[in-house]
Amino acid sequence: MESSTSPGKGSPEPSSDFAFAFNDVNFSDRLLRIEILPESPGSKPEPDDSLADWARNRKRRRDEHLFDLPGACSIFLPCEYCQVLTLLSCAELTEEYEEQILNCNMPDLEDGVTYENQEEAAAMIAESPVGVEIPINRSGHEAAHNDETSSSMDYSAVRVKTIHISSPILAAKSPFFYKLFSNGMRESEHRQVTLQIQASEEDALMDLLNFMYSNTLPRTTPTALLDVLMAADKYEVASCMRYCSRLLRNLPMTCESALLYLDLPSTVLMADTVQPLTDAAKQFLAARFKDLSKFQEEVLNLPLAGIETVLFSDDLQVASEDAVYDFALKWARTHYPKMEERREILSTRLLRFIRFPCMTCRKLKKVLTCSDIDPEIASKVVLDALFFKAEAPYRQRSLVAEDANASFRRFVERAYKYRPVKVVEFELPRQQCIVYLDLKREECVNLFPSGRVYSQAFHLGGQGFFLSGHCNMDQQSSFHCFGLFLGMQEKGSVSFTVDYEFASRVKPSEDFVSKYRGNYTFTGGKAVGYRNLFGVPWTAFIADDSPYFINGILHLRAELTIKK
């Protein structure tokens, strides 16, 4: 079994507290030289900044780095994480790459000193007291404090901070420092190592170094924790990432904070230590916007990470999957008015959250002709949906069971307000359809004492119909019972007579058994059915030994025939 304190593994922090040794020459074997690059005014967040301010500052700093620094630096590290390490050897780089690194403020790394005039810079640091901040320019010379300093030097001046460190303590907490101190290169043998950071990272780095000694943080405001979390990811201190994630998770969650957690850099989001925090953020948003029809405008204004979280939820309360598809299109059209961008975001990000097999065939036809979706992708998702609908019931149940553990669910039904139905239609010798409606036991339980559940619409003779299950009182009002009704949607003034029959699977044979039949002349908005379909009280219908639930599912069938 791997030791919990094995070097460089980022394992859980040991119980020992080494705070007494932090920046103490008596307990240190190395000197950490931190070169702090200045940033534009106002780019460094204040300690009491709100989460919104923190997010804006981070986005501005990221955009500035992407604008100012050559894209070539991404060959080594993303611009947001540019850092100077004595870990690299100049001999390993080509001349072209050396030039690109220097243009990205990544100086010469030879001998652990990062400026051209290495001897002068090293001598100056050797003569200065430990921990003193020394402003120097790019050539290593002391910055002049007079009018001769050019305006360009305001942007090139660098502060230097030196700290005594213990390489075993840092290596035990961080694979980054473990490799830095044990890579076998000439640089790793030097007593002094160098890091280069932006001014906005200074406080977070100091807090991180402190944590690696003491297992605690001096500042626990949300913005401070986020800064340290970013630094801990950068320097691979898993224990600190776990600590920050836990503290953030214990703070009250808001829509603002949840969206911010989901918008952290991908390296942070992919870390196992941060997964509980992002899971909590997703759960909060999914629960907050559970009823899509109630919060439609708010959800429509969510950023991409937010809409993805909402569309992923199994508990999303919507009329049907058709409504989910329509809403995803509406969101994409709102946020991406350009057709090319909209097609891209739908194809790569949003369509994977749509459960096409749960959509109606009428809506699937519209998917095929939707100009917002690439035709090849539209054909694929529609064919997959139709193949699923054509599968035998046992095969469908198997696919649903497999899908429950998948990253992106395709077959699992949500908490639809209108339950999906399977329909078989006939035109000859007469217009007829057979409709299958399955209800879970928990759905039926939730109907008590006066609830209703509706099916999706299906069509016969050009008219829309639906089934509805009710928990109601029997005709003598002596007990609750389960009723099933057939209704016609309000559409025009056409009326015609329909013969109908209700049936249910019943144990032990598990075959469909007819429960009620009749005929009715329908007009728009009318419904007909039977208040007590099974002829038993609600308690007997819903009991654990009820013969009407097979593996927790109530299987209902309605057969409709237009009477000539």
Side-chain angles (χ1 to χ4, degrees):
M1 180 178 296
E2 183 183 89
S3 167
S4 63
T5 57
S6 55
K9 299 298 182 182
S11 5
E13 57 270 17
S15 58
S16 302
D17 183 355
F18 298 106
F20 66 89
F22 181 63
N23 200 17
D24 191 317
V25 66
N26 296 314
F27 300 99
S28 305
D29 63 335
R30 305 263 184 167
L31 193 65
L32 178 63
R33 169 189 166 92
I34 304 173
E35 297 173 355
I36 306 165
L37 302 179
E39 298 197 51
S40 57
S43 64
K44 186 175 180 180
E46 296 297 328
D48 56 350
D49 272 354
S50 67
L51 287 174
D53 292 333
W54 186 93
R56 283 193 293 269
N57 283 323
R58 187 180 74 84
K59 184 178 186 301
R60 181 168 62 249
R61 293 196 303 270
R62 179 178 61 195
D63 293 344
E64 287 172 354
H65 289 316
L66 291 175
F67 179 79
D68 292 336
L69 301 178
C73 70
S74 61
I75 296 173
F76 299 94
L77 290 171
C79 288
E80 188 170 354
Y81 295 112
C82 284
Q83 52 193 337
V84 174
L85 311 176
T86 56
L87 177 64
L88 297 177
S89 171
C90 292
E92 297 176 342
L93 305 176
T94 64
E95 291 182 2
E96 178 184 2
Y97 287 166
E98 281 185 352
E99 181 178 356
Q100 291 170 340
I101 295 174
L102 289 172
N103 289 338
C104 189
N105 292 331
M106 296 186 69
D108 190 356
L109 305 173
E110 186 176 354
D111 294 332
V113 181
T114 60
Y115 294 91
E116 296 176 4
N117 191 350
Q118 295 176 11
E119 292 182 3
E120 184 174 353
M124 180 168 54
I125 292 176
E127 295 172 0
S128 63
V130 172
V132 172
E133 299 181 3
I134 309 170
I136 57 177
N137 61 25
R138 291 182 186 271
S139 299
H141 296 289
E142 186 173 356
H145 298 286
N146 52 42
D147 296 336
E148 295 177 1
T149 304
S150 67
S151 59
S152 63
M153 280 193 163
D154 293 338
Y155 298 94
S156 61
V158 174
R159 288 186 296 114
V160 172
K161 178 182 288 188
T162 56
I163 300 174
H164 293 286
I165 58 172
S166 168
S167 57
I169 292 177
L170 267 58
K173 291 291 186 72
S174 162
F176 174 93
F177 285 104
Y178 179 78
K179 286 179 266 186
L180 182 63
F181 298 138
S182 64
N183 60 22
M185 295 182 183
R186 179 179 60 177
E187 289 83 353
S188 65
E189 300 173 0
H190 283 272
R191 183 173 178 271
Q192 177 178 285
V193 291
T194 301
L195 295 180
Q196 187 181 82
I197 63 173
Q198 298 292 326
S200 58
E201 300 175 285
E202 180 181 356
D203 292 339
L205 176 59
M206 296 306 298
D207 286 352
L208 176 64
L209 293 172
N210 219 315
F211 176 88
M212 296 169 77
Y213 280 80
S214 64
N215 301 318
T216 188
L217 291 172
R219 302 177 302 144
T220 56
T221 62
T223 53
L225 288 173
L226 283 168
D227 282 333
V228 176
L229 178 63
M230 304 275 281
D233 170 66
K234 181 176 179 178
Y235 297 108
E236 305 177 61
V237 188
S239 57
C240 188
M241 293 182 70
R242 186 180 301 108
Y243 184 84
C244 293
S245 175
R246 184 170 65 248
L247 292 184
L248 288 169
R249 199 166 68 251
N250 291 336
L251 295 173
M253 188 78 72
T254 64
C255 289
E256 179 188 57
S257 61
L259 291 171
L260 181 56
Y261 300 153
L262 295 179
D263 194 41
L264 291 171
S266 58
T267 54
V268 178
L269 291 177
M270 290 188 294
D272 292 339
T273 52
V274 183
Q275 197 66 47
L277 177 63
T278 55
D279 287 346
K282 291 176 180 178
Q283 290 169 9
F284 175 86
L285 291 175
R288 174 72 175 81
F289 301 113
K290 185 177 182 179
D291 191 337
L292 189 57
S293 60
K294 184 178 179 181
F295 298 101
Q296 188 166 151
E297 289 304 316
E298 290 181 60
V299 178
L300 195 61
N301 291 323
L302 289 177
L304 181 59
I307 191 66
E308 286 181 325
T309 298
V310 172
L311 296 181
F312 179 79
S313 174
D314 287 343
D315 299 323
L316 191 61
Q317 294 179 357
V318 286
S320 64
E321 195 66 27
D322 293 2
V324 179
Y325 167 79
D326 288 338
F327 189 85
L329 279 185
K330 184 176 181 181
W331 185 93
R333 289 166 180 168
T334 300
H335 291 263
Y336 296 90
K338 294 183 179 179
M339 176 65 76
E340 291 184 3
E341 295 179 354
R342 186 162 64 248
R343 275 195 172 192
E344 177 70 16
I345 209 68
L346 283 167
S347 300
T348 60
R349 302 294 293 268
L350 294 186
L351 291 184
R352 57 186 176 178
F353 298 105
I354 308 300
R355 303 176 187 187
F356 291 95
C358 298
M359 290 171 59
T360 63
C361 290
R362 286 182 171 235
K363 182 62 72 172
L364 289 174
K365 290 180 182 177
K366 294 183 178 180
V367 173
L368 286 174
T369 58
C370 179
S371 60
D372 296 317
I373 304 176
D374 182 270
E376 291 186 8
I377 295 176
S379 297
K380 182 181 184 307
V381 297
V382 170
L383 282 175
D384 286 346
L386 295 177
F387 279 131
F388 174 80
K389 291 177 180 292
E391 291 281 8
Y394 79 91
R395 178 58 182 159
Q396 289 181 346
R397 289 192 293 270
S398 175
L399 289 171
V400 170
E402 294 174 5
D403 199 44
N405 298 319
S407 300
F408 299 100
R409 295 166 174 79
R410 294 182 297 160
F411 310 120
V412 176
E413 296 177 357
R414 307 180 198 262
Y416 300 122
K417 293 179 181 178
Y418 303 122
R419 304 299 299 144
V421 292
K422 301 177 180 68
V423 182
V424 180
E425 299 181 47
F426 300 94
E427 288 291 332
L428 296 172
R430 53 185 176 170
Q431 288 184 305
Q432 182 184 38
C433 70
I434 302 174
V435 184
Y436 297 90
L437 172 64
D438 294 344
L439 299 176
K440 298 176 183 178
R441 180 188 291 274
E442 52 267 30
E443 289 178 308
C444 294
V445 170
N446 292 334
L447 294 179
F448 186 85
S450 58
R452 299 182 180 186
V453 59
Y454 295 93
S455 77
Q456 291 179 354
F458 54 91
H459 293 78
L460 178 66
Q463 296 298 310
F465 289 85
F466 63 89
L467 294 173
S468 61
H470 297 204
C471 176
N472 43 224
M473 301 296 288
D474 76 330
Q475 290 181 339
Q476 286 74 36
S477 299
S478 57
F479 54 79
H480 288 87
C481 54
F482 179 84
L484 184 64
F485 293 82
L486 170 67
M488 189 170 83
Q489 292 179 316
E490 296 185 25
K491 184 178 180 181
S493 58
V494 177
S495 64
F496 49 83
T497 302
V498 174
D499 289 331
Y500 63 93
E501 179 184 9
F502 296 154
S504 171
R505 289 189 187 274
V506 181
K507 295 177 182 176
S509 67
E510 299 185 351
D511 293 329
F512 278 105
V513 176
S514 178
K515 291 297 179 181
Y516 184 78
R517 65 176 59 188
N519 63 77
Y520 187 74
T521 300
F522 283 93
T523 56
K526 297 293 184 179
V528 65
Y530 199 60
R531 294 178 66 84
N532 190 352
L533 183 66
F534 300 108
V536 298
W538 181 266
T539 52
F541 161 69
I542 209 71
D544 291 339
D545 59 352
S546 170
Y548 307 109
F549 289 92
I550 301 171
N551 297 323
I553 302 294
L554 174 65
H555 300 274
L556 300 172
R557 184 185 71 187
E559 185 173 334
L560 284 65
T561 306
I562 294 181
K563 191 173 182 179
K564 293 183 179 180

